[in-house]
Coordinates of all heavy atoms in Angstrom, one line a residue:
M298 N 134.0 -56.9 -3.9 CA 132.9 -57.8 -4.3 C 132.2 -57.3 -5.5 O 132.1 -56.2 -5.8 CB 132.0 -57.9 -3.1 CG 130.7 -58.6 -3.3 SD 129.9 -59.2 -2.0 CE 130.1 -60.9 -2.2
P299 N 131.9 -58.3 -6.4 CA 131.3 -57.9 -7.6 C 129.9 -57.2 -7.5 O 129.2 -57.5 -6.4 CB 131.1 -59.1 -8.4 CG 131.2 -60.2 -7.4 CD 132.1 -59.6 -6.3
R300 N 129.5 -56.3 -8.3 CA 128.3 -55.7 -8.2 C 127.1 -56.6 -8.7 O 125.9 -56.4 -8.5 CB 128.3 -54.4 -9.0 CG 129.3 -53.5 -8.5 CD 128.9 -52.8 -7.2 NE 130.0 -52.0 -6.9 CZ 130.0 -51.5 -5.7 NH1 129.2 -51.7 -4.8 NH2 131.1 -50.6 -5.3
E301 N 127.4 -57.7 -9.5 CA 126.4 -58.5 -10.0 C 127.0 -60.0 -9.8 O 128.0 -60.2 -9.9 CB 126.0 -58.2 -11.4 CG 125.5 -56.8 -11.7 CD 125.5 -56.4 -13.1 OE1 126.2 -57.1 -13.9 OE2 124.8 -55.7 -13.5
I302 N 126.0 -60.8 -9.6 CA 126.2 -62.3 -9.5 C 125.5 -63.1 -10.5 O 124.3 -62.8 -10.7 CB 125.9 -62.9 -8.0 CG1 126.7 -62.0 -7.0 CG2 126.0 -64.3 -7.8 CD1 126.3 -62.4 -5.6
A303 N 126.2 -63.8 -11.3 CA 125.6 -64.7 -12.3 C 125.0 -66.0 -11.8 O 125.8 -66.8 -11.2 CB 126.5 -64.8 -13.5
M304 N 123.7 -66.3 -11.9 CA 123.2 -67.5 -11.5 C 122.2 -68.0 -12.6 O 121.3 -67.3 -13.0 CB 122.4 -67.5 -10.3 CG 123.2 -67.4 -9.1 SD 122.0 -67.4 -7.7 CE 122.9 -66.4 -6.4
F305 N 122.5 -69.2 -13.3 CA 121.6 -69.7 -14.3 C 121.5 -68.7 -15.4 O 120.3 -68.6 -15.9 CB 120.2 -70.2 -13.7 CG 120.3 -71.1 -12.5 CD1 119.9 -70.5 -11.2 CD2 120.8 -72.3 -12.7 CE1 120.0 -71.4 -10.1 CE2 120.9 -73.2 -11.5 CZ 120.5 -72.7 -10.3
D306 N 122.5 -68.1 -15.9 CA 122.5 -67.1 -17.0 C 121.7 -65.9 -16.7 O 121.3 -65.2 -17.6 CB 122.0 -67.8 -18.3 CG 123.0 -68.9 -18.8 OD1 124.2 -68.8 -18.4 OD2 122.6 -69.8 -19.5
L307 N 121.5 -65.5 -15.4 CA 120.8 -64.4 -15.1 C 121.8 -63.6 -14.1 O 122.5 -64.1 -13.3 CB 119.5 -64.6 -14.3 CG 118.4 -65.2 -15.1 CD1 117.3 -65.7 -14.1 CD2 117.8 -64.4 -16.1
L308 N 121.7 -62.3 -14.3 CA 122.5 -61.5 -13.5 C 121.7 -60.9 -12.3 O 120.7 -60.2 -12.6 CB 123.2 -60.3 -14.2 CG 124.2 -60.6 -15.3 CD1 124.6 -59.5 -16.1 CD2 125.4 -61.3 -14.6
F309 N 122.1 -61.2 -11.1 CA 121.4 -60.7 -9.9 C 122.3 -59.6 -9.2 O 123.5 -59.8 -9.1 CB 121.1 -61.8 -8.9 CG 120.1 -62.7 -9.4 CD1 120.5 -64.0 -9.8 CD2 118.7 -62.4 -9.4 CE1 119.5 -65.0 -10.2 CE2 117.8 -63.3 -9.7 CZ 118.2 -64.5 -10.2
P310 N 121.7 -58.5 -8.8 CA 122.5 -57.5 -8.0 C 122.9 -58.2 -6.7 O 122.2 -59.0 -6.2 CB 121.5 -56.4 -7.8 CG 120.2 -56.7 -8.4 CD 120.3 -58.1 -9.0
T311 N 124.1 -57.7 -6.2 CA 124.5 -58.4 -4.9 C 123.5 -58.1 -3.8 O 123.4 -58.9 -3.0 CB 125.9 -57.7 -4.6 OG1 126.8 -57.9 -5.8 CG2 126.5 -58.4 -3.5
L312 N 122.9 -56.9 -3.9 CA 121.9 -56.6 -2.8 C 120.8 -57.6 -2.8 O 120.2 -57.8 -1.7 CB 121.4 -55.2 -2.9 CG 122.4 -54.2 -2.5 CD1 121.7 -52.7 -2.6 CD2 122.8 -54.3 -1.0
F313 N 120.4 -58.2 -3.8 CA 119.4 -59.2 -3.9 C 119.8 -60.4 -3.1 O 119.0 -61.0 -2.3 CB 119.1 -59.6 -5.3 CG 118.0 -60.7 -5.4 CD1 116.6 -60.4 -5.1 CD2 118.3 -62.0 -5.8 CE1 115.7 -61.4 -5.2 CE2 117.4 -63.0 -5.8 CZ 116.1 -62.7 -5.5
V314 N 121.0 -60.8 -3.2 CA 121.5 -62.0 -2.5 C 121.6 -61.6 -0.9 O 121.2 -62.5 -0.2 CB 122.9 -62.4 -3.0 CG1 123.5 -63.6 -2.2 CG2 122.7 -62.8 -4.5
V315 N 122.0 -60.4 -0.7 CA 122.0 -60.0 0.7 C 120.6 -59.9 1.3 O 120.4 -60.3 2.4 CB 122.7 -58.5 0.8 CG1 122.5 -58.0 2.2 CG2 124.2 -58.7 0.4
F316 N 119.7 -59.6 0.5 CA 118.2 -59.5 0.8 C 117.8 -60.9 1.2 O 117.1 -61.1 2.3 CB 117.4 -58.8 -0.2 CG 116.0 -58.8 0.1 CD1 115.4 -57.9 0.9 CD2 115.1 -59.8 -0.3 CE1 114.1 -57.7 1.2 CE2 113.7 -59.6 0.0 CZ 113.2 -58.7 0.6
V317 N 118.1 -61.9 0.4 CA 117.7 -63.2 0.6 C 118.2 -63.8 1.9 O 117.6 -64.5 2.7 CB 117.9 -64.1 -0.6 CG1 117.7 -65.6 -0.3 CG2 117.0 -63.6 -1.8
V318 N 119.5 -63.5 2.1 CA 120.1 -64.0 3.3 C 119.6 -63.4 4.6 O 119.4 -63.9 5.5 CB 121.8 -63.7 3.2 CG1 122.5 -64.1 4.4 CG2 122.2 -64.7 2.1
A319 N 119.4 -62.0 4.4 CA 118.7 -61.3 5.5 C 117.4 -61.8 6.0 O 116.9 -61.9 7.0 CB 118.7 -59.8 5.2
V320 N 116.6 -62.2 4.9 CA 115.2 -62.7 5.3 C 115.4 -64.0 5.9 O 114.7 -64.3 6.9 CB 114.5 -62.8 3.9 CG1 113.3 -63.8 4.1 CG2 114.1 -61.6 3.3
A321 N 116.3 -64.9 5.5 CA 116.6 -66.2 6.1 C 117.0 -66.1 7.6 O 116.4 -66.7 8.5 CB 117.5 -67.1 5.3
V322 N 118.0 -65.1 7.7 CA 118.4 -64.9 9.2 C 117.2 -64.3 10.0 O 117.0 -64.7 11.2 CB 119.7 -64.0 9.1 CG1 120.0 -63.5 10.5 CG2 120.7 -64.7 8.5
H323 N 116.5 -63.4 9.5 CA 115.4 -62.8 10.2 C 114.3 -63.7 10.5 O 113.8 -63.7 11.7 CB 114.8 -61.7 9.3 CG 113.6 -61.1 9.9 ND1 112.3 -61.4 9.7 CD2 113.5 -60.0 10.9 CE1 111.5 -60.6 10.4 NE2 112.2 -59.9 11.1
V324 N 114.0 -64.8 9.6 CA 113.0 -65.8 10.0 C 113.5 -66.6 11.2 O 112.7 -66.9 12.1 CB 112.7 -66.6 8.8 CG1 111.9 -67.9 9.1 CG2 112.0 -65.8 7.7
L325 N 114.8 -66.9 11.1 CA 115.4 -67.8 12.3 C 115.2 -67.1 13.5 O 114.8 -67.6 14.6 CB 116.7 -68.3 11.8 CG 116.9 -69.2 10.8 CD1 118.3 -69.5 10.4 CD2 116.2 -70.5 11.1
I326 N 115.7 -65.8 13.6 CA 115.7 -65.0 14.7 C 114.3 -64.8 15.2 O 114.0 -64.9 16.5 CB 116.4 -63.6 14.6 CG1 117.9 -63.9 14.4 CG2 116.2 -62.7 15.7 CD1 118.7 -62.7 14.0
D327 N 113.3 -64.6 14.3 CA 112.0 -64.3 14.7 C 111.3 -65.6 15.3 O 110.6 -65.5 16.3 CB 111.2 -63.9 13.5 CG 109.8 -63.4 13.8 OD1 109.7 -62.6 14.6 OD2 108.8 -64.0 13.3
L328 N 111.6 -66.6 14.7 CA 111.0 -68.0 15.4 C 111.6 -68.2 16.7 O 111.0 -68.5 17.7 CB 111.5 -69.2 14.4 CG 110.7 -69.3 13.1 CD1 111.3 -70.4 12.4 CD2 109.2 -69.5 13.5
L329 N 112.9 -67.9 17.0 CA 113.5 -68.0 18.2 C 113.0 -67.1 19.3 O 112.7 -67.5 20.4 CB 115.1 -67.8 18.1 CG 115.9 -67.9 19.5 CD1 115.9 -69.4 20.0 CD2 117.3 -67.4 19.2
L330 N 112.9 -65.9 18.9 CA 112.2 -64.8 19.8 C 110.8 -65.2 20.2 O 110.4 -65.0 21.2 CB 112.4 -63.4 19.3 CG 113.8 -62.9 19.2 CD1 113.8 -61.5 18.4 CD2 114.4 -62.8 20.5
A331 N 110.0 -65.8 19.1 CA 108.7 -66.1 19.3 C 108.6 -67.3 20.4 O 107.7 -67.2 21.3 CB 108.0 -66.4 18.1
R332 N 109.5 -68.2 20.3 CA 109.5 -69.4 21.2 C 109.9 -68.9 22.5 O 109.4 -69.5 23.6 CB 110.4 -70.4 20.7 CG 109.8 -71.2 19.5 CD 110.6 -72.5 19.3 NE 109.9 -73.2 18.3 CZ 109.9 -74.5 18.2 NH1 110.5 -75.2 19.1 NH2 109.3 -75.1 17.2
L333 N 110.7 -68.0 22.6 CA 111.2 -67.5 24.0 C 110.1 -66.6 24.7 O 110.3 -66.2 25.8 CB 112.5 -66.8 23.9 CG 113.7 -67.7 23.6 CD1 114.9 -66.7 23.3 CD2 114.0 -68.6 24.6
G334 N 109.1 -66.2 23.9 CA 108.1 -65.3 24.5 C 108.5 -63.9 24.6 O 108.0 -63.1 25.3
F335 N 109.5 -63.5 23.8 CA 110.0 -62.0 23.8 C 109.0 -61.0 23.4 O 109.0 -59.9 23.9 CB 111.3 -62.0 22.9 CG 111.9 -60.7 22.8 CD1 112.7 -60.3 23.8 CD2 111.8 -59.9 21.7 CE1 113.3 -59.0 23.8 CE2 112.3 -58.6 21.6 CZ 113.0 -58.2 22.7
F336 N 108.2 -61.4 22.4 CA 107.3 -60.3 21.9 C 106.1 -60.0 22.9 O 105.4 -59.0 22.6 CB 106.6 -60.9 20.6 CG 107.7 -61.0 19.5 CD1 108.0 -62.2 18.9 CD2 108.3 -60.0 19.1 CE1 108.8 -62.3 17.9 CE2 109.3 -60.0 18.0 CZ 109.6 -61.3 17.4
R337 N 106.1 -60.8 23.9 CA 105.0 -60.3 25.0 C 105.5 -59.0 25.6 O 104.7 -58.3 26.2 CB 104.8 -61.4 26.0 CG 104.0 -62.5 25.5 CD 103.8 -63.5 26.6 NE 105.2 -64.1 27.0 CZ 105.4 -64.9 27.9 NH1 104.4 -65.6 28.5 NH2 106.6 -65.4 28.1
W338 N 106.8 -58.8 25.6 CA 107.4 -57.6 26.4 C 107.7 -56.4 25.4 O 108.1 -55.5 25.9 CB 108.8 -58.1 27.0 CG 108.5 -59.1 27.9 CD1 108.7 -60.6 27.8 CD2 108.0 -59.1 29.3 NE1 108.4 -61.3 28.9 CE2 107.9 -60.4 29.8 CE3 107.6 -58.0 30.1 CZ2 107.5 -60.6 31.1 CZ3 107.1 -58.3 31.3 CH2 107.1 -59.6 31.9
V339 N 107.4 -56.6 24.1 CA 107.6 -55.7 23.2 C 106.4 -54.8 22.9 O 105.3 -55.5 22.8 CB 108.1 -56.2 21.8 CG1 108.3 -55.1 20.8 CG2 109.5 -56.9 22.0
W340 N 106.4 -53.4 22.9 CA 105.2 -52.7 22.8 C 104.5 -52.9 21.5 O 103.3 -53.0 21.4 CB 105.6 -51.2 22.9 CG 104.4 -50.3 22.7 CD1 103.3 -50.1 23.4 CD2 104.4 -49.4 21.7 NE1 102.5 -49.2 22.9 CE2 103.2 -48.8 21.8 CE3 105.0 -49.1 20.5 CZ2 102.6 -47.8 20.9 CZ3 104.6 -48.2 19.5 CH2 103.4 -47.6 19.8
H341 N 105.3 -53.0 20.4 CA 104.7 -53.1 19.1 C 105.4 -54.3 18.3 O 106.5 -53.9 17.6 CB 104.8 -51.7 18.3 CG 103.8 -51.6 17.3 ND1 103.7 -52.4 16.1 CD2 102.6 -50.8 17.0 CE1 102.8 -52.2 15.2 NE2 102.1 -51.1 15.9
P342 N 105.0 -55.5 18.4 CA 105.8 -56.5 17.8 C 106.0 -56.4 16.3 O 107.2 -56.7 15.8 CB 104.9 -57.7 18.1 CG 104.2 -57.4 19.2 CD 103.8 -56.0 19.1
E343 N 105.1 -56.0 15.6 CA 105.2 -55.8 14.1 C 106.3 -54.7 13.7 O 107.1 -55.0 12.9 CB 103.9 -55.5 13.4 CG 102.9 -56.6 13.4 CD 102.1 -56.7 14.7 OE1 102.3 -55.8 15.5 OE2 101.4 -57.7 15.0
L344 N 106.3 -53.7 14.4 CA 107.3 -52.7 14.3 C 108.7 -53.3 14.6 O 109.7 -52.8 14.1 CB 106.9 -51.4 15.1 CG 107.8 -50.2 14.9 CD1 107.8 -49.7 13.4 CD2 107.3 -49.1 15.9
F345 N 108.8 -53.9 15.7 CA 110.0 -54.5 16.1 C 110.6 -55.5 15.2 O 111.8 -55.5 14.8 CB 109.9 -55.2 17.5 CG 111.2 -55.9 18.0 CD1 112.1 -55.1 18.6 CD2 111.4 -57.1 17.7 CE1 113.2 -55.6 19.1 CE2 112.7 -57.7 18.1 CZ 113.6 -56.9 18.9
R346 N 109.7 -56.2 14.6 CA 110.0 -57.2 13.4 C 110.6 -56.5 12.2 O 111.7 -56.9 11.8 CB 108.9 -58.2 13.1 CG 108.7 -59.2 14.1 CD 107.4 -60.0 13.7 NE 107.4 -61.2 14.6 CZ 106.3 -61.6 15.3 NH1 105.1 -60.7 15.2 NH2 106.2 -62.6 16.0
I347 N 109.9 -55.5 11.8 CA 110.4 -54.8 10.5 C 111.7 -54.1 10.8 O 112.6 -53.9 10.0 CB 109.4 -54.0 9.9 CG1 109.7 -53.6 8.5 CG2 109.0 -52.7 10.7 CD1 109.6 -54.7 7.6
A348 N 111.8 -53.6 12.0 CA 113.1 -52.8 12.4 C 114.2 -53.8 12.5 O 115.3 -53.5 12.2 CB 112.9 -52.1 13.7
L349 N 114.0 -55.0 13.1 CA 115.1 -56.0 13.1 C 115.5 -56.4 11.7 O 116.7 -56.5 11.5 CB 114.5 -57.1 13.9 CG 115.4 -58.5 13.9 CD1 116.7 -58.0 14.8 CD2 114.7 -59.6 14.6
F350 N 114.5 -56.6 10.8 CA 114.9 -56.8 9.4 C 115.7 -55.7 8.8 O 116.7 -56.1 8.2 CB 113.6 -57.2 8.6 CG 114.0 -57.4 7.1 CD1 114.6 -58.5 6.7 CD2 113.7 -56.3 6.2 CE1 115.0 -58.7 5.3 CE2 114.1 -56.4 4.9 CZ 114.7 -57.6 4.5
F351 N 115.2 -54.5 9.0 CA 116.1 -53.4 8.3 C 117.4 -53.3 8.9 O 118.4 -53.0 8.2 CB 115.3 -52.2 8.5 CG 114.3 -52.0 7.4 CD1 113.0 -51.8 7.8 CD2 114.6 -51.9 6.0 CE1 111.9 -51.6 6.8 CE2 113.7 -51.7 5.1 CZ 112.4 -51.6 5.4
C352 N 117.7 -53.6 10.2 CA 119.0 -53.6 10.8 C 119.8 -54.6 10.2 O 121.0 -54.4 9.9 CB 118.8 -53.7 12.3 SG 118.3 -52.2 13.1
L353 N 119.3 -55.9 10.2 CA 120.0 -57.0 9.5 C 120.4 -56.7 8.0 O 121.6 -56.9 7.6 CB 119.2 -58.2 9.6 CG 119.0 -58.9 10.9 CD1 118.0 -60.0 10.8 CD2 120.3 -59.4 11.5
F354 N 119.5 -56.3 7.2 CA 119.7 -56.0 5.9 C 120.6 -54.8 5.6 O 121.6 -54.9 4.9 CB 118.4 -55.7 5.1 CG 118.6 -55.3 3.7 CD1 119.0 -56.3 2.8 CD2 118.2 -54.1 3.2 CE1 119.2 -56.0 1.5 CE2 118.4 -53.8 1.8 CZ 118.8 -54.7 0.9
C355 N 120.5 -53.7 6.3 CA 121.4 -52.6 6.2 C 122.8 -52.9 6.7 O 123.8 -52.4 6.2 CB 120.8 -51.3 6.9 SG 119.3 -50.7 6.1
G356 N 122.8 -53.5 7.8 CA 124.2 -53.9 8.4 C 125.0 -54.8 7.4 O 126.1 -54.6 7.2
A357 N 124.3 -55.8 6.8 CA 125.0 -56.7 5.9 C 125.4 -56.0 4.7 O 126.4 -56.1 4.0 CB 124.1 -57.9 5.5
S358 N 124.4 -55.0 4.1 CA 124.8 -54.2 3.0 C 126.0 -53.4 3.2 O 126.9 -53.2 2.3 CB 123.6 -53.4 2.6 OG 122.4 -54.2 2.3
L359 N 126.0 -52.7 4.3 CA 127.2 -51.8 4.7 C 128.4 -52.6 4.8 O 129.5 -52.1 4.4 CB 126.9 -51.1 5.9 CG 125.9 -49.9 5.8 CD1 125.5 -49.3 7.2 CD2 126.3 -48.8 4.8
L360 N 128.4 -53.9 5.3 CA 129.7 -54.7 5.3 C 130.2 -55.0 3.9 O 131.3 -55.0 3.8 CB 129.4 -55.9 6.1 CG 129.3 -55.7 7.7 CD1 128.8 -57.1 8.3 CD2 130.6 -55.3 8.2
I361 N 129.3 -55.2 3.1 CA 129.7 -55.6 1.7 C 130.1 -54.5 0.8 O 131.2 -54.5 0.2 CB 128.5 -56.4 0.9 CG1 128.3 -57.8 1.5 CG2 128.7 -56.5 -0.6 CD1 127.2 -58.5 0.9
Y362 N 129.5 -53.3 0.8 CA 129.7 -52.2 0.1 C 130.7 -51.2 0.7 O 130.7 -50.0 0.3 CB 128.5 -51.5 -0.4 CG 127.8 -52.3 -1.5 CD1 126.6 -53.0 -1.3 CD2 128.5 -52.3 -2.8 CE1 126.1 -53.7 -2.2 CE2 127.9 -53.1 -3.8 CZ 126.6 -53.7 -3.5 OH 126.0 -54.5 -4.6
R363 N 131.3 -51.6 1.8 CA 132.2 -50.7 2.5 C 133.4 -50.4 1.7 O 134.1 -51.0 1.0 CB 132.5 -51.3 3.8 CG 133.3 -50.2 4.7 CD 133.4 -50.9 6.0 NE 134.8 -51.3 6.0 CZ 135.5 -51.4 7.1 NH1 135.0 -51.1 8.2 NH2 136.7 -51.8 7.1

C-alpha cells in the first residue's frame, strides 16, 4: 500500500485515511451501543469510548502496514 494518497492535488498520509475511516466506524458502533443501553453497564463510558476508538484505529493501521 502506498505511504501517501493523492486527493485534489494534496498528498495525505495513509494513516489519515485510516483515521477518518476509524472515526466513521467508531461513530456507528457508538450510536448502536448507546441505543442498546450498553453504556449503563460500563464503569467509565468515556474511557470505554476512547479505548474502542484506539482499538479500531490501531487494528486497521496494523493491517495496512503489516
Side-chain angles (χ1 to χ4, degrees):
M298 172 154 250
R300 300 292 180 186
E301 296 166 339
I302 296 173
M304 285 187 209
F305 307 112
D306 293 334
L307 294 173
L308 292 175
F309 290 103
T311 307
L312 282 180
F313 178 73
V314 177
V315 171
F316 179 81
V317 171
V318 170
V320 166
V322 171
H323 179 261
V324 168
L325 292 175
I326 292 174
D327 190 56
L328 288 173
L329 177 70
L330 291 177
R332 283 195 178 211
L333 292 175
F335 179 77
F336 293 119
R337 288 182 299 186
W338 301 100
V339 176
W340 174 67
H341 202 295
E343 292 81 12
L344 184 62
F345 180 83
R346 284 180 168 123
I347 197 71
L349 177 65
F350 172 73
F351 278 117
C352 288
L353 289 170
F354 177 66
C355 292
S358 299
L359 287 174
L360 285 174
I361 287 179
Y362 284 107
R363 191 177 100 150

